[in-house]
């Protein structure tokens, strides 16, 4: 807590919201958020490893609890994809959706770890003064994920419609093929193309960043005295329960938007 560490509330929040960075070259342009990259990579390996372990031990007989849970999850996501995606590449989109959901859920779930305890571990065990453990509370993570889906949508649009068909769609939809309307069509489509990754990324980032701030504020309140400890603990427990829904819901929304965008890439205006 801020009182325990001798930090003012502002310094306390700034400390927990400062990324561990590594500069490339003179640091004037390329600055890597090392904590975001390491945690994202680590949790990506964990998510793939968990799925691989369950699949490796899967049996055709009566499934165990873990296998049954994973099968329900896969069937649920597969049904969601079939409902939304109407293209003939369902076999690609469904695994992508499963990977996105599991990975984003684990990235979000790092917010459940006590922030002060984790900060103490990072600093005293690993010698890292600044280390943010929730990758999706960093806009670089969410934008990179959204940008990856955006690139896939352009790839599939060109693959399905051809480069010429894609260009024609950009300049001739949705207002018609009259040459006078081409600039308006192109402007309209450019706004759509730019807004998709922005809204896709900022929705996830905003929710996780706000959740992190609220946990810190409740933690500081709990260090102000007996009354603060009581109300901080009660509200903190309530927020933690509510945040479980946010973590799951945001992973699901990010996955579904990815499927919707990929589905739109296979359709013509």
């Amino acid at each position: 807590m801020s009182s325990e560490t001798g930090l003012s509330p502002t310094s306390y929040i700034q400390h927990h919201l400062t990324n561990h960075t590594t500069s490339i070259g003179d640091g004037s342009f390329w600055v890597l958020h090392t904590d975001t990259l390491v945690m994202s990579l680590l949790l990506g390996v964990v998510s793939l490893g968990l799925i691989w372990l369950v699949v490796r031990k899967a049996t055709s007989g009566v499934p165990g609890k873990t296998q049954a849970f994973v099968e329900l999850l896969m069937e649920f996501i597969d049904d969601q994809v079939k409902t939304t995606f109407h293209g003939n590449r369902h076999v690609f989109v469904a695994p992508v959706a499963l990977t996105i959901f599991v990975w984003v859920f684990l990235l979000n779930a790092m917010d459940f770890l006590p922030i002060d305890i984790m900060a103490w571990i990072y600093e005293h065990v690993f010698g890292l003064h600044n280390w943010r453990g929730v990758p999706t509370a960093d806009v670089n993570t969410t934008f990179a994920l959204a940008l990856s889906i955006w690139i896939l949508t352009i790839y599939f649009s060109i693959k399905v419609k051809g480069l010429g068909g894609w260009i024609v769609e950009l300049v001739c939809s949705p207002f018609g093929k009259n040459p006078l309307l081409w600039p308006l069509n192109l402007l309209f489509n450019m706004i759509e193309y730019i807004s998709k990754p922005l809204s896709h990324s900022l929705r996830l980032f905003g929710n996780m960043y706000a959740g992190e701030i609220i946990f810190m504020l409740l933690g500081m309140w709990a260090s102000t005295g007996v009354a603060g400890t009581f109300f901080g603990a009660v509200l903190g427990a309530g927020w933690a329960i509510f945040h479980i829904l946010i973590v799951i819901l945001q992973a699901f929304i990010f996955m579904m938007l990815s499927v919707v965008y990929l589905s739109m890439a296979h359709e013509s205006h």
Side-chain angles (χ1 to χ4, degrees):
M1 309 305 173
S2 58
S3 61
E4 295 172 353
T5 58
L7 298 175
S8 66
T10 301
S11 300
Y12 173 78
I13 292 176
Q14 288 178 345
H15 170 71
H16 284 298
L17 294 182
T18 302
N19 288 96
H20 184 280
T21 59
T22 301
S23 300
I24 297 180
D26 60 1
S28 60
F29 182 73
W30 289 106
V31 177
L32 302 179
H33 287 188
T34 316
D35 45 9
T36 297
L37 291 172
V38 171
M39 296 303 296
S40 299
L41 180 61
L42 178 62
L43 292 171
V45 172
V46 169
S47 63
L48 292 176
L50 290 175
I51 295 175
W52 177 79
L53 285 175
V54 173
V55 172
R56 182 172 175 267
K57 296 180 180 180
T59 62
S60 57
V62 179
K65 294 181 179 179
T66 303
Q67 181 180 336
F69 173 77
V70 172
E71 288 180 355
L72 287 174
L73 175 64
M74 296 178 69
E75 289 177 3
F76 172 75
I77 292 177
D78 191 62
D79 290 341
Q80 296 299 315
V81 172
K82 288 179 180 178
T83 301
T84 307
F85 185 80
H86 304 293
N88 58 359
R89 290 181 174 82
H90 171 263
V91 292
F92 171 81
V93 176
V96 168
L98 176 64
T99 303
I100 290 173
F101 178 79
V102 175
W103 193 19
V104 174
F105 170 76
L106 290 179
L107 295 177
N108 294 348
M110 292 300 293
D111 211 15
F112 294 144
L113 301 178
I115 189 169
D116 288 295
I117 294 176
M118 296 307 299
W120 186 92
I121 293 174
Y122 295 141
E123 184 167 359
H124 293 85
V125 177
F126 299 104
L128 302 168
H129 181 64
N130 293 317
W131 190 270
R132 295 183 66 183
V134 186
T136 43
D138 183 352
V139 71
N140 294 283
T141 302
T142 59
F143 190 73
L145 290 170
L147 192 60
S148 300
I149 298 299
W150 184 75
I151 292 173
L152 280 176
T153 60
I154 295 179
Y155 167 77
F156 280 119
S157 291
I158 296 175
K159 186 177 181 64
V160 172
K161 304 160 191 173
L163 180 60
W166 180 63
I167 294 175
V168 168
E169 186 177 73
L170 286 179
V171 298
C172 296
S173 297
F175 301 119
K177 298 181 179 181
N178 190 315
L180 295 177
L181 296 174
W182 287 1
L184 184 61
N185 288 329
L186 184 61
L187 176 62
F188 184 87
N189 284 304
M190 286 299 100
I191 293 174
E192 180 182 354
Y193 268 94
I194 293 172
S195 64
K196 281 180 180 179
L198 287 177
S199 62
H200 200 189
S201 60
L202 293 178
R203 180 182 289 104
L204 176 59
F205 162 72
N207 279 276
M208 298 313 301
Y209 185 83
E212 198 174 26
I213 292 291
I214 291 175
F215 273 126
M216 282 188 281
L217 293 175
L218 291 174
M220 287 190 294
W221 191 15
S223 66
T224 58
V226 177
T229 300
F230 174 76
F231 288 109
V234 172
L235 293 176
W239 176 249
I241 295 173
F242 180 68
H243 201 59
I244 293 174
L245 300 177
I246 294 177
V247 164
I248 299 174
L249 184 60
Q250 288 305 313
F252 176 75
I253 291 174
F254 194 91
M255 177 202 73
M256 288 304 302
L257 285 175
S258 300
V259 175
V260 169
Y261 292 156
L262 290 174
S263 178
M264 292 172 63
H266 286 74
E267 299 173 356
S268 300
H269 289 292

